[in-house]
Structures are given as C-alpha cells and as structure tokens.
Amino acid sequence: MLELHRRLLPAVIAASAPTPCFLPSRGALRLPRSRPRRLRGKPSSTVRAVAGPGPVVGGAPAPEMAQREVARVLADQAVAWLGPRLLPSAVPADVAEFRSSAGNAVGSLDVRRGAPGSSIDFMLQSSLHCKVPNGAIDITSILIFLNALTDAPHFLLELIQGSPTSIVVILDLLPRKDLALHPDYLQMYYENTQIDQQRGKIEELPQARLYRSPSLFVRSACSPTAVMVSIDCGQGGERAFEEIVRGQLATVTQEVLQIWLDNCADSTADMEETERDCLLKRDRIVRTKSIEVDLTANLPRMFDPDVSNRVITEIRRAFGVQEA
C-alpha cells in the first residue's frame, strides 16, 4: 500500500531536489518459530555483521536506525518460518540496489516469490533513506501477499520516519473480503486471534496519536484492527523514541506477524469459482491502485526515467499487475 508516497514524498519533493527510493531490510537473525525475538537496547554487533553495511548516500553510509533493525528481525522471523515456501530472490541487480543521480538518496528492493503449491504469492521488502534540506526521511516496508489458494488476509508493515523522534506506523492483516458481508471471516482472522489487543498496546502509549490516511481508499482497504499511529516523542526525545521502537513497537510487530504466520500463511480455502473470481478482483484492484497512485505518480519525479521504470516494472511483476 506504500502510504509513504501518498502523504510524505510530494512534500519532500516540493521542498527539495532529493530523489527518494526503496531500500530492503536485508540480513537475518535466526529466530525461533514460536516466540519472536524482542529488541531492546542498542543494536548488537551480530545484527550489524549479518545485515552488512548500510546504504551509502553521497559517499557516506546511512545511519543505523532502530526501525531498520526491527524490520530486519521481523523479515527474518518470516523467512525462518516460511522456509521452503519462498523461492530465492530473482530481482535484477540494478533494481536490488539503485540510487538517485544527485547521490542524496539510495534504495533497493527485494522480492521473493512463493514456491509452487504454496499459498504465498510473494514477499516484498523495501526501505528508503533520503537526505532532505532539514534532515532525512526513512521508510521501511514488508509486504507478504497470498495467492488464490486461500482467502486469508495479506500482511502489511510500513514504518515511515520523518525525524529522529517521530514515526508513522501502519501494520495490518489486510482483509480480502468485505468484513460486513462475511462475519465468519471477521471472527476467524480478527476476533479469534485477539489481534486487536496488539493495536491497543501501541495506541495506549502517551506518545502515540491515531494516524488518519488522507486516502479514503487506504482507509477502506485496511481492517478495523489495523495499527495506524503516529509516534512523536518531541524535541529532545531521542532516547524515549529508541526505547519505544525497540521495545513496544518491536514486540507488537512481531506478535502481529506471528499471528499471521500461525493463522494465515499455510491456510487454504475451498471456494466456488464466483467467490474466487471476486477475491482475485479485489486483490487486483488493491494492487493496481497501489502502483498507479503510489508509484507511477511519484517515482518518475524522484528518479531518472530509466531507474523509475525498472523499479516499477519489477514491482508490477511481483504484484502480478500488467501495465495498461
């Protein structure tokens, strides 16, 4: 859903010449399947060694950030659990890592398709570091989409950081059915899993405020249990911010992912042809809307045409959406 491009990047572009892009959460820690690892304190040397060097912007490495560490551990949690359900990455080198011609932004993208017979369609990891006149903007995304073997929800995480002490969090199991028309679906994936408790753990933080997307489409596509908050610790609140990201936020994102892994990743569903057609149509609309509004409207304004075209083409391929 890449909410970043709809709300934040137009303002960044208007304010400066930087050209943002994606950068994947790479590297991994070996995590147990049953319980997610908790992140607290400073990032360990193990995390940094496995993850490799950070992106380079204008000749200098991007700073280590708590949200990137959270995403690295989360991605490894998913990869360790899914195992052979995921194929190796086949993203071209010039899309796996790319940069702006001005050198002030660097990004990369990683996509792993689901293995034949698996209910996994693809897992996409991306993140961004872009220098702007008054600081930097950093975004990390993890999407795990399912195919038509199941009607279970997709997994979505976006972390959009615009300052050293503030971040927008979008975390959800994206429904693939109209919840009002399918109360059994609502009960199975959202009530029985008690996932709404995780939303409450973030929203009860004093520094958290509800985030309302300016897009009615985004708001209608998300579930009622979605975590959509802005966490702002204010000027001088760097320490409190780090503790929240590595503490409560890390815990909630890993708990939500584990709920998805336990209840959705391996699910299958017997559907009639018309029901499956409706499911595919909904998926196609969500994916197409994300690409058209979030990517094709903004990436060409951030990168040279050849770079943006390569990235958009690869994401279209992952989403299974052909250019009209």
Side-chain angles (χ1 to χ4, degrees):
M1 295 275 276
L2 303 180
E3 173 70 10
L4 148 74
H5 299 284
R6 179 183 305 282
R7 184 174 182 88
L8 295 182
L9 283 185
V12 171
I13 295 169
S16 64
T19 52
C21 43
F22 300 99
L23 176 70
S25 318
R26 294 180 301 180
L29 298 175
R30 281 295 168 194
L31 300 176
R33 167 177 170 169
S34 57
R35 302 302 301 171
R37 175 172 179 162
R38 306 294 185 230
L39 291 176
R40 297 187 184 279
K42 296 182 178 180
S44 67
S45 57
T46 303
V47 171
R48 289 176 178 173
V50 176
V56 177
V57 183
E64 278 292 332
M65 303 188 70
Q67 63 136 308
R68 285 206 199 98
E69 186 186 359
V70 168
R72 282 196 292 263
V73 174
L74 196 73
D76 189 65
Q77 179 185 346
V79 170
W81 202 97
L82 294 173
R85 301 170 189 83
L86 293 174
L87 296 174
S89 174
V91 175
D94 57 359
V95 174
E97 295 190 12
F98 55 98
R99 66 185 62 246
S100 66
S101 57
N104 61 322
V106 62
S108 55
L109 173 74
D110 187 56
V111 179
R112 297 185 63 175
R113 304 307 301 260
S118 166
S119 60
I120 305 297
D121 192 0
F122 67 86
M123 176 176 173
L124 182 152
Q125 299 167 248
S126 66
S127 70
L128 156 76
H129 177 80
C130 176
K131 289 184 177 180
V132 295
N134 58 347
I137 184 169
D138 288 86
I139 307 96
T140 303
S141 300
I142 298 178
L143 310 176
I144 313 176
F145 274 40
L146 300 172
N147 57 32
L149 292 179
T150 179
D151 59 3
H154 305 307
F155 177 83
L156 164 69
L157 171 69
E158 287 191 313
L159 302 174
I160 308 166
Q161 186 169 347
S163 82
T165 60
S166 66
I167 193 169
V168 170
V169 180
I170 301 175
L171 174 66
D172 194 22
L173 305 190
L174 286 175
R176 300 169 73 194
K177 290 187 174 183
D178 186 317
L179 300 182
L181 293 178
H182 298 87
D184 54 335
Y185 189 92
L186 178 68
Q187 182 176 23
M188 177 183 296
Y189 293 113
Y190 301 96
E191 293 180 359
N192 292 349
T193 60
Q194 300 183 349
I195 195 171
D196 206 36
Q197 294 181 8
Q198 304 303 321
R199 177 189 56 80
K201 291 177 184 178
I202 293 296
E203 290 186 0
E204 70 184 7
L205 292 171
Q207 300 89 345
R209 298 290 183 271
L210 292 180
Y211 169 77
R212 185 176 296 275
S213 169
S215 166
L216 291 176
F217 176 81
V218 170
R219 283 146 60 181
S220 67
C222 289
S223 80
T225 65
V227 177
M228 300 185 74
V229 299
S230 173
I231 299 173
D232 191 344
C233 295
Q235 187 174 0
E238 286 84 356
R239 181 174 180 179
F241 179 79
E242 293 275 319
E243 290 177 351
I244 288 173
V245 172
R246 289 195 171 94
Q248 294 98 320
L249 181 58
T251 298
V252 166
T253 57
Q254 292 170 63
E255 291 288 357
V256 169
L257 176 60
Q258 195 62 49
I259 288 172
W260 184 86
L261 291 169
D262 290 337
N263 296 277
C264 304
D266 284 331
S267 68
T268 57
D270 294 325
M271 290 178 276
E272 296 180 357
E273 185 176 354
T274 55
E275 186 179 7
R276 194 179 303 275
D277 288 344
C278 288
L279 183 80
L280 291 172
K281 181 179 180 180
R282 181 190 176 97
D283 278 351
R284 193 178 306 113
I285 290 172
V286 170
R287 298 176 189 206
T288 302
K289 191 75 170 180
S290 297
I291 291 174
E292 288 178 353
V293 177
D294 295 329
L295 294 174
T296 58
N298 288 295
L299 277 182
R301 301 165 62 188
M302 308 170 211
F303 292 94
D304 297 334
D306 60 331
V307 176
S308 61
N309 288 339
R310 288 198 303 268
V311 176
I312 292 172
T313 297
E314 196 63 32
I315 293 177
R316 282 188 181 278
R317 184 177 292 117
F319 277 28
V321 177
Q322 301 301 318
E323 187 171 4

